[in-house]
Amino acid sequence: QVQLVESGGGLVQAGGSLRLSCAASGSIFSINVRGWYRQAPGKQRELVAVITSGTNTNYADSVKGRFTISRDNAKNTVYLQMNSLKPEDTAVYYCNAWTRTTMYTPEYDYWGQGTQVTVSS
C-alpha cells in the first residue's frame, strides 16, 4: 500500500507565498506522473499542476506564472511553490501519484488526504 501526506498549508495574506509538499511512503516500486489538485467549497475539483517523471509540467491557466511544481524523486516528494496568492486560490489542495507497488503491478492513482490553503484579502 501507498500513503501520501500533504503538508505546508495554512493561512496567508493575498500576495504572499506558500510551499506545499507531499511525501509518498509505503510499498513503492516506482512513481511516474505526480500532480496537485484543489477543491474550493461549492466548486468542482480542478487540476492545478502536473509533473511527469521527465519533469515536463503543465499548469491550469489560473495559476500559470504564479505556481511552480517540482519533485525530488530520491525523497518521493512533490512540491508546489505558490506565489502571488489570491483569495480565489483558497481551497483544499490534494496531491496524487501514479504508482507501481511492485514491478508486476499496474500503476494506480493514489491520493493524499488534502491540506487547507486559505488566502485572506
Side-chain angles (χ1 to χ4, degrees), residues 64-76:
K64 286 181 179 177
R66 300 189 297 120
F67 291 9
T68 302
I69 188 171
S70 61
R71 64 192 294 174
D72 185 337
N73 292 333
K75 298 180 179 179
N76 286 329

PDB file of all heavy atoms in Angstrom, residues 64-76:
ATOM      1  N   LYS A  64      -0.819  29.827 -13.946  1.00  0.00           N
ATOM      2  CA  LYS A  64       0.391  29.973 -14.752  1.00  0.00           C
ATOM      3  C   LYS A  64       1.119  31.269 -14.403  1.00  0.00           C
ATOM      4  O   LYS A  64       0.512  32.321 -14.285  1.00  0.00           O
ATOM      5  CB  LYS A  64       0.052  29.954 -16.239  1.00  0.00           C
ATOM      6  CG  LYS A  64      -0.318  28.590 -16.781  1.00  0.00           C
ATOM      7  CD  LYS A  64      -0.628  28.649 -18.270  1.00  0.00           C
ATOM      8  CE  LYS A  64      -0.972  27.278 -18.815  1.00  0.00           C
ATOM      9  NZ  LYS A  64      -1.347  27.323 -20.248  1.00  0.00           N
ATOM     10  N   GLY A  65       2.422  31.153 -14.226  1.00  0.00           N
ATOM     11  CA  GLY A  65       3.232  32.302 -13.873  1.00  0.00           C
ATOM     12  C   GLY A  65       3.306  32.571 -12.387  1.00  0.00           C
ATOM     13  O   GLY A  65       4.125  33.393 -11.955  1.00  0.00           O
ATOM     14  N   ARG A  66       2.461  31.912 -11.600  1.00  0.00           N
ATOM     15  CA  ARG A  66       2.446  32.107 -10.155  1.00  0.00           C
ATOM     16  C   ARG A  66       2.863  30.860  -9.381  1.00  0.00           C
ATOM     17  O   ARG A  66       3.507  30.969  -8.339  1.00  0.00           O
ATOM     18  CB  ARG A  66       1.055  32.545  -9.679  1.00  0.00           C
ATOM     19  CG  ARG A  66       0.578  33.857 -10.287  1.00  0.00           C
ATOM     20  CD  ARG A  66      -0.707  34.343  -9.615  1.00  0.00           C
ATOM     21  NE  ARG A  66      -1.819  33.416  -9.808  1.00  0.00           N
ATOM     22  CZ  ARG A  66      -2.481  32.814  -8.819  1.00  0.00           C
ATOM     23  NH1 ARG A  66      -2.136  33.046  -7.554  1.00  0.00           N
ATOM     24  NH2 ARG A  66      -3.488  32.003  -9.083  1.00  0.00           N
ATOM     25  N   PHE A  67       2.477  29.683  -9.866  1.00  0.00           N
ATOM     26  CA  PHE A  67       2.765  28.426  -9.180  1.00  0.00           C
ATOM     27  C   PHE A  67       3.829  27.651  -9.941  1.00  0.00           C
ATOM     28  O   PHE A  67       3.898  27.714 -11.179  1.00  0.00           O
ATOM     29  CB  PHE A  67       1.518  27.551  -9.081  1.00  0.00           C
ATOM     30  CG  PHE A  67       0.439  28.062  -8.164  1.00  0.00           C
ATOM     31  CD1 PHE A  67       0.502  29.328  -7.599  1.00  0.00           C
ATOM     32  CD2 PHE A  67      -0.650  27.253  -7.876  1.00  0.00           C
ATOM     33  CE1 PHE A  67      -0.502  29.795  -6.761  1.00  0.00           C
ATOM     34  CE2 PHE A  67      -1.657  27.702  -7.036  1.00  0.00           C
ATOM     35  CZ  PHE A  67      -1.585  28.971  -6.479  1.00  0.00           C
ATOM     36  N   THR A  68       4.632  26.881  -9.206  1.00  0.00           N
ATOM     37  CA  THR A  68       5.642  26.023  -9.801  1.00  0.00           C
ATOM     38  C   THR A  68       5.614  24.657  -9.137  1.00  0.00           C
ATOM     39  O   THR A  68       5.709  24.560  -7.913  1.00  0.00           O
ATOM     40  CB  THR A  68       7.050  26.620  -9.664  1.00  0.00           C
ATOM     41  OG1 THR A  68       7.093  27.915 -10.270  1.00  0.00           O
ATOM     42  CG2 THR A  68       8.078  25.721 -10.353  1.00  0.00           C
ATOM     43  N   ILE A  69       5.478  23.609  -9.937  1.00  0.00           N
ATOM     44  CA  ILE A  69       5.522  22.251  -9.420  1.00  0.00           C
ATOM     45  C   ILE A  69       6.913  21.670  -9.652  1.00  0.00           C
ATOM     46  O   ILE A  69       7.535  21.921 -10.685  1.00  0.00           O
ATOM     47  CB  ILE A  69       4.434  21.366 -10.071  1.00  0.00           C
ATOM     48  CG1 ILE A  69       4.365  20.001  -9.383  1.00  0.00           C
ATOM     49  CG2 ILE A  69       4.654  21.219 -11.565  1.00  0.00           C
ATOM     50  CD1 ILE A  69       3.170  19.156  -9.832  1.00  0.00           C
ATOM     51  N   SER A  70       7.402  20.911  -8.688  1.00  0.00           N
ATOM     52  CA  SER A  70       8.699  20.259  -8.811  1.00  0.00           C
ATOM     53  C   SER A  70       8.667  18.955  -8.023  1.00  0.00           C
ATOM     54  O   SER A  70       7.726  18.696  -7.271  1.00  0.00           O
ATOM     55  CB  SER A  70       9.830  21.165  -8.311  1.00  0.00           C
ATOM     56  OG  SER A  70       9.663  21.480  -6.941  1.00  0.00           O
ATOM     57  N   ARG A  71       9.694  18.140  -8.197  1.00  0.00           N
ATOM     58  CA  ARG A  71       9.723  16.858  -7.490  1.00  0.00           C
ATOM     59  C   ARG A  71      11.145  16.473  -7.140  1.00  0.00           C
ATOM     60  O   ARG A  71      12.107  16.853  -7.818  1.00  0.00           O
ATOM     61  CB  ARG A  71       9.064  15.752  -8.329  1.00  0.00           C
ATOM     62  CG  ARG A  71       9.783  15.433  -9.633  1.00  0.00           C
ATOM     63  CD  ARG A  71       8.938  14.548 -10.546  1.00  0.00           C
ATOM     64  NE  ARG A  71       8.721  13.219 -10.007  1.00  0.00           N
ATOM     65  CZ  ARG A  71       7.922  12.298 -10.558  1.00  0.00           C
ATOM     66  NH1 ARG A  71       7.246  12.587 -11.670  1.00  0.00           N
ATOM     67  NH2 ARG A  71       7.790  11.109  -9.996  1.00  0.00           N
ATOM     68  N   ASP A  72      11.275  15.711  -6.060  1.00  0.00           N
ATOM     69  CA  ASP A  72      12.534  15.131  -5.634  1.00  0.00           C
ATOM     70  C   ASP A  72      12.306  13.629  -5.597  1.00  0.00           C
ATOM     71  O   ASP A  72      11.733  13.101  -4.640  1.00  0.00           O
ATOM     72  CB  ASP A  72      12.949  15.660  -4.263  1.00  0.00           C
ATOM     73  CG  ASP A  72      14.312  15.167  -3.825  1.00  0.00           C
ATOM     74  OD1 ASP A  72      14.766  14.117  -4.308  1.00  0.00           O
ATOM     75  OD2 ASP A  72      14.938  15.846  -2.982  1.00  0.00           O
ATOM     76  N   ASN A  73      12.745  12.948  -6.633  1.00  0.00           N
ATOM     77  CA  ASN A  73      12.473  11.521  -6.749  1.00  0.00           C
ATOM     78  C   ASN A  73      13.154  10.702  -5.651  1.00  0.00           C
ATOM     79  O   ASN A  73      12.625   9.680  -5.216  1.00  0.00           O
ATOM     80  CB  ASN A  73      12.909  11.012  -8.124  1.00  0.00           C
ATOM     81  CG  ASN A  73      12.047  11.556  -9.241  1.00  0.00           C
ATOM     82  OD1 ASN A  73      10.886  11.894  -9.043  1.00  0.00           O
ATOM     83  ND2 ASN A  73      12.618  11.640 -10.439  1.00  0.00           N
ATOM     84  N   ALA A  74      14.322  11.144  -5.203  1.00  0.00           N
ATOM     85  CA  ALA A  74      15.031  10.431  -4.145  1.00  0.00           C
ATOM     86  C   ALA A  74      14.240  10.432  -2.845  1.00  0.00           C
ATOM     87  O   ALA A  74      14.361   9.513  -2.033  1.00  0.00           O
ATOM     88  CB  ALA A  74      16.412  11.034  -3.919  1.00  0.00           C
ATOM     89  N   LYS A  75      13.440  11.467  -2.634  1.00  0.00           N
ATOM     90  CA  LYS A  75      12.628  11.583  -1.429  1.00  0.00           C
ATOM     91  C   LYS A  75      11.170  11.224  -1.667  1.00  0.00           C
ATOM     92  O   LYS A  75      10.362  11.315  -0.743  1.00  0.00           O
ATOM     93  CB  LYS A  75      12.708  13.002  -0.873  1.00  0.00           C
ATOM     94  CG  LYS A  75      14.102  13.431  -0.439  1.00  0.00           C
ATOM     95  CD  LYS A  75      14.092  14.850   0.100  1.00  0.00           C
ATOM     96  CE  LYS A  75      15.475  15.271   0.561  1.00  0.00           C
ATOM     97  NZ  LYS A  75      15.484  16.665   1.076  1.00  0.00           N
ATOM     98  N   ASN A  76      10.829  10.828  -2.889  1.00  0.00           N
ATOM     99  CA  ASN A  76       9.438  10.530  -3.250  1.00  0.00           C
ATOM    100  C   ASN A  76       8.505  11.670  -2.855  1.00  0.00           C
ATOM    101  O   ASN A  76       7.408  11.447  -2.337  1.00  0.00           O
ATOM    102  CB  ASN A  76       8.980   9.221  -2.603  1.00  0.00           C
ATOM    103  CG  ASN A  76       9.585   7.995  -3.270  1.00  0.00           C
ATOM    104  OD1 ASN A  76       9.855   7.996  -4.469  1.00  0.00           O
ATOM    105  ND2 ASN A  76       9.793   6.942  -2.489  1.00  0.00           N
TER     106      ASN A  76
END
